[in-house]
Amino acid sequence: MTTHQPGPQPRRRQRPGSLPLLALGMLAVTVAEVAVILRSGEVVGWGWTLVALVGMGVLGAWLWRREGARAWRALVSAFESGRLPAGELADAALVLVGGLLLMLPGFLTDVAGLFFLVPFTRPLARRLAAWVATRAAAGSGVDLGALRARAHPDTVIRGETVPDANAPATQAIVLQGEIEG
């Protein structure tokens, strides 16, 4: 005996795995970093190239510590005031990623790490990260509207509850409505 579910069943779209793309991206960054370091060594000399790489690492560690402490204080302050720390959490994540990028040897990762760490470029980095997250979520089926509604609980969504004629009486109530912004 088979049971029939009313209505069309959603079909999950098959996406190619992102692991090969990630591996390819890491390989491309590594090759680009080696090329930039070799060219820098030829142009300014190997000693100055080494000094620049070490100097960027030291500057990055100092900035990471300073901005990480600042991001942590902002997170604690947001939690203590009882509000959702959306921007502060994004800044803390950017500081973490920026610090990790600065620890990697190379000029390209250092520039990207500084972009995430420096306070006056971080708002732009936050917008870039939000854009990338939106693009990634659009392909994965994640509902960003639902995530935004959770992040902003004071948002009012008007709607009404209606019984679903096809659902058994024990099933949850269906909400229908429009979101006005």
Side-chain angles (χ1 to χ4, degrees):
M1 177 177 185
T2 62
T3 60
H4 177 67
Q5 296 284 336
Q9 296 296 319
R11 203 170 139 209
R12 191 138 189 198
R13 187 174 68 166
Q14 294 292 328
R15 291 185 51 207
S18 59
L19 191 59
L21 289 175
L22 181 64
L24 186 63
M26 290 173 59
L27 179 65
V29 168
T30 302
V31 169
E33 286 286 14
V34 169
V36 169
I37 290 172
L38 289 175
R39 184 68 182 139
S40 172
E42 290 172 358
V43 171
V44 298
W46 293 105
W48 287 113
T49 299
L50 185 60
V51 166
L53 285 171
V54 172
M56 288 295 286
V58 170
L59 173 68
W62 176 77
L63 262 177
W64 192 23
R65 182 176 178 171
R66 187 185 83 170
E67 293 304 314
R70 185 178 293 172
W72 181 255
R73 284 191 304 272
L75 267 174
V76 169
S77 172
F79 278 123
E80 287 175 349
S81 68
R83 63 182 178 81
L84 191 66
E88 292 85 356
L89 199 56
D91 279 353
L94 289 172
V95 166
L96 176 67
V97 170
L100 291 174
L101 287 172
L102 278 165
M103 282 190 202
L104 296 173
F107 294 116
L108 300 177
T109 54
D110 287 347
V111 169
L114 286 173
F115 179 67
F116 291 150
L117 268 177
V118 177
F120 58 86
T121 59
R122 203 173 312 132
L124 181 60
R126 195 180 317 124
R127 284 195 298 272
L128 177 66
W131 180 81
V132 168
T134 303
R135 301 282 296 177
S140 68
V142 173
D143 185 4
L144 288 180
L147 293 176
R148 266 191 216 102
R150 286 186 190 150
H152 302 286
D154 57 340
T155 302
V156 176
I157 301 175
R158 301 187 196 293
E160 62 184 73
T161 60
V162 295
D164 186 0
N166 297 325
T170 59
Q171 194 172 20
I173 296 174
V174 176
L175 295 176
Q176 288 183 333
E178 294 182 7
I179 298 176
E180 298 176 1

